[in-house]
Amino acid sequence: MSHRVLVVEDDRDIGDLLQESLRRAGYEVLRATDGETALQFVDSSLGLVILDIMMPGMTGIDTCKQIRRTSNVPILFLTARSSVLDKTEGLLAGGDDYMSKPFSEEELHARVIAQLRRYTVYQEKTDHEETFHVAGKLRVSDQFNEVWKESEQLRLSDLEYRILKLLMSKRSKIFSAQNIYESVWGQPYFYCSNNTVMVHIRKLRAKIEDDPAQPVYILTEWGRGYRFGTS
């Protein structure tokens, strides 16, 4: 597992708090106070980026979009407690999770551990023969984050890939938002988690569906959850 964490926070007190807490927990911490500097630290050695949304110059949203051009490293956004729009925009930009300010040290460590654990799983390589799930135009690797739509390889985040593979694994089952969140994020479900799942479903549909407004792969069962189309 990579224990290298990049903290991008322009507030010195919050940045110091994050750095000290993470170092006590055994992580190597890199610091940046703006997006431009943060981009210089992004390489394959990083295990996690903790990224503030509201920063002068390049915002956290723009920084996230730049990171996603070259890396699938997990990104944990820091947001204001009341800023639901910030949270949704961050997830749509490519963020994996968010943590509201103020936050507890326990929540920080739980979210960091969950993101690092999930990322490590998808970085590991195995010697097993690769197998695939196939449906319509889609072909999804069962071992690695590799998805094709006909001859085009799609770029999915680890979370999008996990959601797709979960739904495809039991095509007749309806998965509630709680089922999906606890299975994919590996964290306890709260009411606000429903928005996180909804945003990632929206992003996933935009990548795999011919017409996201009329999906054939990821179907909504109103009031119940989501299921994979069996056609």
Side-chain angles (χ1 to χ4, degrees):
M1 174 187 292
S2 174
H3 293 284
R4 214 169 192 215
V5 179
L6 172 60
V7 173
V8 190
E9 171 60 71
D10 65 305
D11 186 300
R12 182 179 298 274
D13 291 337
I14 295 177
D16 288 345
L17 175 65
L18 287 164
Q19 180 173 347
E20 182 177 350
S21 179
L22 291 169
R23 282 184 172 172
R24 284 201 309 269
Y27 301 105
E28 178 186 353
V29 182
L30 305 175
R31 288 280 298 273
T33 57
D34 59 80
E36 291 85 351
T37 303
L39 294 175
Q40 299 176 23
F41 288 112
V42 177
D43 59 27
S44 60
S45 70
L46 275 184
L48 176 68
V49 177
I50 300 178
L51 180 59
D52 186 28
I53 286 184
M54 298 301 296
M55 296 188 297
M58 182 182 289
T59 67
I61 299 297
D62 291 334
T63 303
C64 177
K65 291 178 180 178
Q66 289 293 324
I67 292 173
R68 282 290 171 257
R69 292 183 175 181
T70 60
S71 175
N72 278 327
V73 64
I75 296 175
L76 173 61
F77 273 116
L78 298 179
T79 74
R81 181 179 296 277
S82 60
S83 185
V84 176
L85 290 178
D86 276 352
K87 295 174 182 178
T88 302
E89 187 178 7
L91 295 172
L92 288 171
D96 296 286
D97 200 0
Y98 54 79
M99 184 167 61
S100 297
K101 303 176 186 178
F103 52 84
S104 68
E105 191 169 44
E106 291 78 8
E107 180 185 9
L108 169 66
H109 290 170
R111 292 188 182 277
V112 167
I113 289 170
Q115 293 299 328
L116 286 171
R117 180 174 60 238
R118 182 162 54 245
Y119 191 49
T120 299
V121 168
Y122 290 102
Q123 294 296 349
E124 292 175 347
K125 302 298 182 182
T126 71
D127 295 327
H128 298 138
E129 182 179 354
E130 190 169 10
T131 57
F132 298 90
H133 297 282
V134 179
K137 300 177 182 179
L138 297 181
R139 184 163 62 97
V140 180
S141 170
D142 196 40
Q143 283 81 23
F144 311 112
N145 185 344
E146 296 177 350
V147 179
W148 287 265
K149 184 176 181 182
E150 294 186 320
S151 60
E152 177 189 3
Q153 185 168 3
L154 306 180
R155 185 177 179 85
L156 269 60
S157 72
D158 289 335
L159 289 170
E160 291 162 0
Y161 167 73
R162 288 191 59 151
I163 292 171
L164 178 58
K165 198 171 79 163
L166 176 67
L167 295 177
M168 291 184 78
S169 68
K170 296 182 179 178
R171 302 189 188 187
S172 62
K173 178 176 178 178
I174 298 174
F175 291 86
S176 67
Q178 181 173 351
N179 292 154
I180 295 172
Y181 190 82
E182 292 180 346
S183 297
V184 173
W185 276 258
Q187 298 174 7
Y189 174 86
F190 298 98
Y191 180 74
C192 60
S193 305
N194 187 71
N195 183 65
T196 301
V197 173
M198 180 180 65
V199 170
H200 280 81
I201 291 287
R202 186 191 314 168
K203 291 167 58 181
L204 180 55
R205 280 175 171 156
K207 294 179 180 181
I208 69 172
E209 302 282 0
D210 289 338
D211 180 3
Q214 299 290 331
V216 298
Y217 295 118
I218 300 181
L219 307 181
T220 300
E221 296 289 340
W222 295 108
R224 303 177 67 188
Y226 305 93
R227 68 175 177 87
F228 193 84
T230 56
S231 60

